[in-house]
Amino acid sequence: MKAKSPVIWPLLGLAALVLLNAVHDLGFLKITLLDGHLYGVPIDILTQGSRTMLVALGMTLVIATGGVDLSVGSVVAIAGAVCAVLLQGGHSLALTLAAALGAGLLAGSANGLLVARLGVQPIVATLILMVAGRGLAQLIVDGQVIIIKSPAFEYLANGFLLGLPVAPLLVVALYLATHLALRRTALGLFIEAVGDNETASRFAGLAAARIKALAYIFCGAGAGLAGVLAAANIRAADAYRAGENMELDAIFAVVVGGTALTGGRFSILGTAVGALLIQTLTTTMYNLGVPPAIAPVPKALLIIGVTLLQSDKIGRWLGGLWPKREAA
Amino acid sequence: MKTTPWFKTLLLTFGFAAALASAAPLKIGFAQTGAESAWRAANSESMKVEAAKRGIDLKFSDGQGKQENQIRALRSFIAQKVDAIVLAPLVETGWDPVLRDAKRAGIPVIITDRSIQTADESLYACFIGSDFFAEGRMAAEWLAKKTGGKGRIVELQGTPGSAPANDRRKAFAEGIAKYPGLQVIDSQSGDFRRTGGKEVMEAFLKKHGKIIDILYAHNDDMALGAIQAIEEAGLKPGTDIVIVSIDAVREGVQAVADGKINCTVECNPLFGPKVYDTVAAVLAGKTVERKSYNKDELFDATNSAAALPKRQY
């Protein structure tokens, strides 16, 4: 077997959290049937966590190229605003979804152009859209919260297919597709090469700039789809608050999942687990009744814990404490 | 009443000043915090519309969520020699130097929405705000009357540490303290967001099941999100769970009319009329109340449908 997978630590964290909740209240794990679909806390975690999972998927690739995309939260707001305005204008669902995806692609292209072609620092380049994008979203909805009355649109986030929640199914399908596209072809390797050493990979014949730009475009598209889910979830486009701080949750998920912020290696499975870990943690706070003012503290502690465990230095130090177990 | 000659002169001077002011359009500078919420947008709109209605020359400045922008705006108002300044301070402290400049230039400053802390109270003319505390108390009183003082309550708090969340929480807790039958069994933050309200309510419903009688939300957005969670759990909002909320945005009042929210207490953002009335009074040299609050109403099944067409925000 190859070296210890980085996914192991977030998985352990997730298992520990689930155990903690189950010990506190066994009802946490209970899944029942209600009106012909599954109903329970684990289903909530999957449904609520699906948006972060989606945003974090694109973020994984961007971070793997050595960059970061801070604009995803604003892109979520833009895509939601586009959906609301189009649906209110009586346009079809297909056109609405295409437009939201298009908005995400466009936003990603803008970031890609700035970072890959013009060489702007990723943090600065995406910060521009992060700030301007929210203003743009408010402009689209004219500063109002627009209510969406479309059962078909809402189905995407709150519906059930054969008793299973639709949003997580969609996201899992996207994860699988992305995994196959990256790991069954050389594309994943190219992204890691560019993240590891852009100059060397260019000399080796890779179109480094194009690969980088593609990562941002993919990330923008993911954020656009997450915007659709966010708007469908609450049947409204809230340009002020939609996607707020989502970039941070996505970056947490990616980092906790074992993708290095320095770029050069990534784990899609790890990101999925990381996103679920964060959502489970939020739900745990509600479940244990932790006062909201101190709820961020355990979240921070867990993230520190998992990232420390992943660090090579800590690993060696721990290995030094138990030399025999490491050798075995 | 005995009036001394100097008092007469003073009255004359003020009368003269008032006459002058009414001849040339009144110039007022308004330093807004930014455009962070629908409430804030309605607040700015009210100030602009009311100024246009009264023929006031309003210099509007959007602070974009930064105190330094607001201070810069105040300095520019002073340089433009406006007749009065209205400030919606982003934070409580750090205003003394610029307010001293305004005082030296003889320009009265009126603080709205949020209060400030200052060593010298004479630096501003008065404060006009929303009484978050009264809102929470009104919600508690209405609830006690409606339920006969009995029920298990879950609370959706606003952003932890924010003034509206703190005051609405404290006032509500004090309000229901008189009724031992009313108990808050769980309280979490939905961060004033619709998504937050939905997510937390989902968790509450799983955790407590059918024993929840009442939901108290610190704003309508969270209540509207929670309604979805309640419906998805197969319960009827407004019937199975009594919902009390604050803000009375149009959609919230609509939900009251639809019977999904039982009562929403207004947090009125339409400051325009009261602020300009106060400015006029201050400029005319009348004494104004040091601290006054915008009047808030309460909407429930009895008056929501009638109020709906008139809601501006």
Side-chain angles (χ1 to χ4, degrees), chain A residues 26-309:
Chain A
L26 207 58
F28 183 82
L29 292 174
K30 200 172 78 182
I31 298 179
T32 53
L33 269 177
L34 183 86
D35 303 334
H37 63 74
L38 296 178
Y39 177 85
V41 180
I43 303 296
D44 283 355
I45 292 176
L46 284 174
T47 321
Q48 296 288 356
S50 58
R51 298 185 295 277
T52 312
M53 279 175 79
L54 194 48
V55 172
L57 177 63
M59 186 72 83
T60 311
L61 300 193
V62 168
I63 288 180
T65 67
V68 72
D69 187 351
L70 297 181
S71 70
V72 284
S74 296
V75 177
V76 165
I78 292 177
V82 167
C83 286
V85 168
L86 287 180
L87 286 172
Q88 202 184 32
H91 294 278
S92 71
L93 186 66
L95 178 79
T96 306
L97 295 182
L101 187 63
L105 286 170
L106 203 66
S109 310
N111 286 332
L113 179 75
L114 284 173
V115 174
R117 296 288 171 199
L118 305 178
V120 182
Q121 284 283 328
I123 286 191
V124 180
T126 56
L127 190 66
I128 296 170
L129 192 58
M130 177 186 177
V131 178
R134 200 156 283 282
L136 188 63
Q138 285 169 21
L139 212 61
I140 295 173
V141 295
D142 197 20
Q144 303 285 320
V145 174
I146 296 189
I147 316 299
I148 297 171
K149 291 186 184 113
S150 162
F153 184 72
E154 197 200 329
Y155 178 80
L156 292 172
N158 299 334
F160 290 87
L161 182 70
L162 303 173
L164 299 170
V166 171
L169 284 180
L170 276 175
V171 172
V172 167
L174 279 170
Y175 265 79
L176 273 177
T178 311
H179 176 78
L180 291 179
L182 294 179
R183 293 307 189 193
R184 297 284 149 167
T185 69
L187 200 55
L189 205 61
F190 288 172
I191 290 175
E192 289 182 327
V194 171
D196 220 9
N197 190 331
E198 192 181 346
T199 321
S201 56
R202 202 172 64 243
F203 284 151
L206 287 183
R210 191 173 304 159
I211 289 168
K212 256 179 151 177
L214 277 176
Y216 284 92
I217 293 172
F218 180 77
C219 187
L225 287 180
V228 171
L229 291 185
N233 178 44
I234 56 169
R235 299 181 209 145
D238 182 356
Y240 295 109
R241 310 295 304 268
E244 203 182 39
N245 291 340
M246 212 164 191
E247 60 282 341
L248 297 181
D249 276 350
I251 294 171
F252 281 154
V254 173
V255 172
V256 165
T259 298
L261 267 179
T262 46
R265 71 181 160 118
F266 68 88
S267 164
I268 286 183
L269 180 63
T271 298
V273 176
L276 283 180
L277 180 65
I278 284 173
Q279 188 61 41
T280 310
L281 194 58
T282 311
T283 309
T284 304
M285 296 301 130
Y286 303 146
N287 205 32
L288 299 185
V290 177
I294 59 167
V297 177
K299 207 168 176 175
L301 287 179
L302 187 100
I303 290 162
I304 291 175
V306 172
T307 36
L308 278 183
L309 284 172

Side-chain angles (χ1 to χ4, degrees), chain B residues 40-63:
Chain B
R40 192 63 67 186
N43 180 247
S44 298
E45 194 59 24
S46 158
M47 292 292 286
K48 286 178 191 164
V49 168
E50 189 66 22
K53 214 187 279 172
R54 298 184 184 211
I56 292 171
D57 177 15
L58 181 73
K59 310 272 177 217
F60 180 85
S61 155
D62 183 329

Side-chain angles (χ1 to χ4, degrees), chain B residues 96-256:
Chain B
D96 286 23
V98 68
L99 290 183
R100 229 171 273 135
D101 287 354
K103 193 183 175 190
R104 221 171 286 138
I107 301 172
V109 178
I110 286 143
I111 310 285
T112 72
D113 179 31
R114 305 178 190 177
S115 53
I116 63 165
Q117 282 177 18
T118 166
D120 182 1
E121 289 287 320
S122 74
L123 288 180
Y124 64 94
C126 62
F127 166 77
I128 303 171
S130 300
D131 196 344
F132 303 132
F133 205 84
E135 290 160 10
R137 204 172 42 219
M138 277 164 87
E141 278 163 11
W142 183 91
L143 190 64
K145 216 187 298 166
K146 160 92 182 172
T147 60
K150 257 165 93 179
R152 281 168 296 241
I153 307 168
V154 290
E155 181 183 37
L156 284 172
Q157 301 177 28
T159 310
S162 67
N166 285 346
D167 288 357
R168 286 170 187 173
R169 181 160 186 232
K170 242 181 275 162
F172 185 79
E174 278 175 25
I176 62 166
K178 284 173 272 175
Y179 307 92
L182 282 174
Q183 260 188 331
V184 177
I185 54 170
D186 213 336
S187 174
Q188 285 288 341
S189 169
D191 207 16
F192 283 133
R193 292 157 76 160
R194 208 174 285 234
T195 328
K198 186 177 177 193
E199 193 180 325
V200 175
M201 195 65 206
E202 280 176 355
F204 281 165
L205 286 165
K206 310 275 160 24
K207 187 172 163 190
H208 301 292
K210 293 214 170 8
I211 69 162
I212 301 171
D213 303 313
I214 299 155
L215 164 69
Y216 168 51
H218 287 186
N219 78 347
D220 283 347
D221 272 333
M222 291 191 294
L224 291 164
I227 285 174
Q228 286 189 35
I230 295 170
E231 283 174 344
E232 279 162 25
L235 297 170
K236 274 190 81 170
T239 317
D240 294 329
I241 296 178
V242 172
I243 301 178
V244 188
S245 163
I246 295 178
D247 259 8
V249 296
R250 195 189 291 133
E251 214 193 330
V253 180
Q254 177 71 53
V256 176

Side-chain angles (χ1 to χ4, degrees), chain B residues 282-294:
Chain B
V282 168
L283 288 177
K286 291 183 198 145
T287 45
V288 290
E289 262 182 276
R290 189 75 198 144
K291 255 188 185 176
S292 60
Y293 295 105
N294 222 357

Side-chain angles (χ1 to χ4, degrees), chain B residues 39 43 130 135 247 266-271 294-296 313:
Chain B
W39 190 94
N43 180 247
S130 300
E135 290 160 10
D247 259 8
E266 183 183 44
C267 180
N268 189 351
L270 308 180
F271 276 39
N294 222 357
K295 197 174 165 301
D296 289 331
Y313 56 95

